[in-house]
Amino acid sequence: TARELTKDEARALLEAVGRDRDMAAFEALFRHYGPRIKAYMARLARDGSVAEELMQETMIAVWNKAAQFEPGRGNVSTWIFTIARNLRIDAYRKTRRPDFDPNDPAFVPDDSPPADAAVEERQEAERLRNAMAVLPEEQLELLRLSFFNDCSHSSIAERLNLPLGTVKSRIRLAFAKLRTALEDGQ
Amino acid sequence: MTIRHHVSDELLLAYAAGTLEEGWRLAVATHLALCPDCRKRLSLMEDAGGQLLEEIVPEPAMATSFERLRQRVLEKSAPVRPASAAARPAAPARAAAPVLPEPLRSYVGGDVETLKWKSLGRGAYHIPIRTDDGTTMVRLLRIPAGKPVPEHGHGGRELTLVLSGSFHDGETLFARGDLEEADASVQHQPVATPGEDCICLAVTDAPLKFRSWLVRLVQPVLGI
Ligand SMILES: [Zn+2]
Ligand SMILES: [Zn+2]
């Protein structure tokens, strides 16, 4: 594949899709994310054509929702991950997918003052990436299994032949490290 | 409002990864509606998910994939869908916010004053909430002020989210927004705080999770 896409480039491409319906920008996003989304879907789909189809559905949602992406407030990989994840849940579970609703009058908003969101977001993404790069492999492996293979923590424990308590404490350790890394940078 | 008891990392991670069954997910999502702190923790986890997606070993798309995608997005010039407003019970027309936040309010079909409670005896009431996951049992509980929660066994995990009033579990106080996470090893007898009935959402492993034939035999009698 071609060289990696930086976070800023991905953001600019997604903005161009949302604002101008820019097909070349959409293709660049597809070249980068399409095969990654397909790999994510393939973790559950035995049939490659199912993974291909779910990837297409995700990219169509990216096209349709691009204008809703707030460049100051999120990074593109997170945004695309959540779209793919929700489509995967809907495809594999025959249940509803309850979620909170920020427009609900009972929703409790965050009253802490927003930082300089765009700058902050960029730095946080960078710090998170660095912190994940130095996570111990055993913790990273648990995160991958949690995110990619639709299985509970108790079945992960069985699969890795670990006590459930160890799985839970590794998860806690991993996120404690990531949170510390983000706080240290402030 | 200060929430003291939050979603654990492992439960929140399952929510972020999309692996939580509907019943548990309902309790976690309702806590998230009330808790900006946990929403912040959730976004960190989703960022981690996005970063892992960047690093995943890619699976090549089909040769004709982009051409097909291009056709598809151009064909149906997507109608921009307005944010979910329809098909849910409207918030009551009064100044105060509803007691039950979304997504819970839609699940029970309205806010607290419209609910049809079923007696559990001794002044306690409940409303079973239907989910499709087949592995959890979900209900709204109303415990009379100053009284203990009716005897209940839980074979596995139990989540209790306080929506109004409060209860004590031993020394620990749980008030609106607080989430108590208990597993099979926990023996407890929560007691509603005097002065106000306590309304909470309770999620447990469904009856079919019980393995013992004896438990299955007496379940209909216990009504669990
Ligand atoms: Zn919380
Ligand atoms: Zn209990």
Side-chain angles (χ1 to χ4, degrees):
Chain A
T1 46
R3 67 182 184 83
E4 292 303 291
L5 208 55
T6 69
K7 302 232 177 243
D8 283 345
E9 285 165 346
R11 206 177 265 121
L13 289 170
L14 188 54
E15 275 183 279
V17 172
R19 197 183 46 226
D20 312 323
R21 310 269 79 181
D22 181 331
M23 192 56 79
F26 186 54
E27 181 166 9
L29 284 174
F30 168 83
R31 297 286 166 217
H32 181 78
Y33 286 106
R36 287 171 170 79
I37 298 165
K38 187 171 175 182
Y40 169 69
M41 296 303 184
R43 293 296 182 102
L44 292 197
R46 299 237 155 67
D47 180 351
S49 65
V50 174
E52 171 80 21
E53 194 51 39
L54 285 170
M55 177 272 280
Q56 289 245 335
E57 292 296 326
T58 306
M59 289 306 298
I60 289 172
V62 167
W63 174 269
N64 289 342
K65 293 178 179 180
Q68 295 165 31
F69 177 75
E70 295 173 68
R73 293 212 28 233
N75 74 71
V76 176
S77 51
T78 305
W79 189 76
I80 290 181
F81 164 71
T82 56
I83 291 176
R85 175 201 60 194
N86 290 351
L87 276 167
R88 199 172 87 160
I89 298 175
D90 294 344
Y92 286 94
R93 287 175 194 275
K94 305 290 169 248
T95 66
R96 286 179 280 176
R97 177 166 48 78
D99 220 336
F100 57 87
D101 174 2
N103 297 313
D104 175 33
F107 181 83
V108 177
D110 188 1
D111 54 9
S112 67
D116 185 353
V119 177
E120 184 79 355
E121 182 64 45
R122 242 155 266 211
Q123 291 169 345
E124 283 198 354
E126 191 58 34
R127 284 200 291 269
L128 180 69
R129 194 169 62 165
N130 295 339
M132 284 181 72
V134 296
L135 273 189
E137 180 52 33
E138 61 179 30
Q139 291 170 19
L140 210 48
E141 178 63 12
L142 272 185
L143 297 193
R144 277 191 220 107
L145 285 171
S146 300
F147 276 111
F148 295 155
N149 301 32
D150 183 24
C151 53
S152 67
H153 293 138
S154 46
S155 51
I156 292 177
E158 259 170 53
R159 174 182 171 148
L160 298 180
N161 206 9
L162 289 170
L164 181 57
T166 308
V167 168
K168 289 183 177 182
S169 65
R170 281 184 192 170
I171 289 170
R172 278 194 289 270
L173 274 173
F175 284 108
K177 274 186 205 146
L178 298 185
R179 279 192 283 267
T180 309
L182 292 193
E183 280 155 14
D184 282 354
Q186 284 176 358
Chain B
M1 177 174 67
T2 310
I3 295 178
R4 291 201 173 76
H5 303 281
H6 298 276
V7 186
S8 66
D9 276 338
E10 57 273 15
L11 200 56
L12 196 58
L13 175 58
Y15 184 92
T19 57
L20 215 47
E21 298 285 359
E22 186 185 1
W24 310 117
R25 191 179 162 96
L26 176 62
V28 173
T30 305
H31 175 85
L32 286 166
L34 298 173
C35 186
D37 288 343
C38 284
R39 291 201 302 273
K40 208 169 281 173
R41 292 168 60 220
L42 176 67
S43 16
L44 170 68
M45 290 183 175
E46 289 176 338
D47 284 342
Q51 185 57 38
L52 290 174
L53 183 67
E54 290 284 347
E55 292 163 11
I56 202 170
V57 180
E59 180 100 9
M62 289 168 72
T64 54
S65 195
F66 185 72
E67 189 41 39
R68 185 160 160 252
L69 190 57
R70 201 179 66 86
Q71 302 280 355
R72 290 176 78 182
V73 298
L74 290 180
E75 258 166 38
K76 45 169 188 177
S77 176
V80 178
R81 218 196 272 156
S84 57
R88 76 159 42 127
R94 59 188 162 109
V99 173
L100 306 181
E102 291 295 354
L104 181 59
R105 197 167 68 248
S106 289
Y107 267 77
V108 295
D111 202 19
V112 282
E113 65 267 30
T114 68
L115 300 179
K116 305 219 172 2
W117 294 96
K118 295 179 177 145
S119 175
L120 284 168
R122 299 186 186 192
Y125 292 85
H126 79 156
I127 296 171
I129 297 173
R130 204 185 60 82
T131 59
D132 296 319
D133 65 32
T135 59
T136 60
M137 164 146 171
V138 185
R139 60 177 154 188
L140 219 49
L141 274 176
R142 197 177 93 207
I143 313 305
K147 294 282 165 40
V149 172
E151 289 290 337
H152 66 286
H154 31 91
R157 180 158 60 186
E158 178 187 50
L159 294 181
T160 311
L161 175 67
V162 180
L163 296 154
S164 110
S166 60
F167 69 80
H168 271 88
D169 190 350
E171 297 285 285
T172 315
L173 177 71
F174 292 84
R176 178 166 167 86
D178 282 330
L179 183 76
E180 182 177 39
E181 201 175 329
D183 61 28
S185 68
V186 175
Q187 290 281 351
H188 64 168
Q189 179 72 313
V191 180
T193 309
E196 190 185 349
D197 288 359
C198 178
I199 296 176
C200 49
L201 175 70
V203 186
T204 52
D205 293 304
L208 58 119
K209 277 264 169 148
F210 290 108
R211 288 206 184 90
S212 145
W213 64 270
L214 184 63
V215 172
R216 284 204 298 270
L217 203 64
V218 297
Q219 255 170 5
V221 184
L222 296 176
I224 55 175

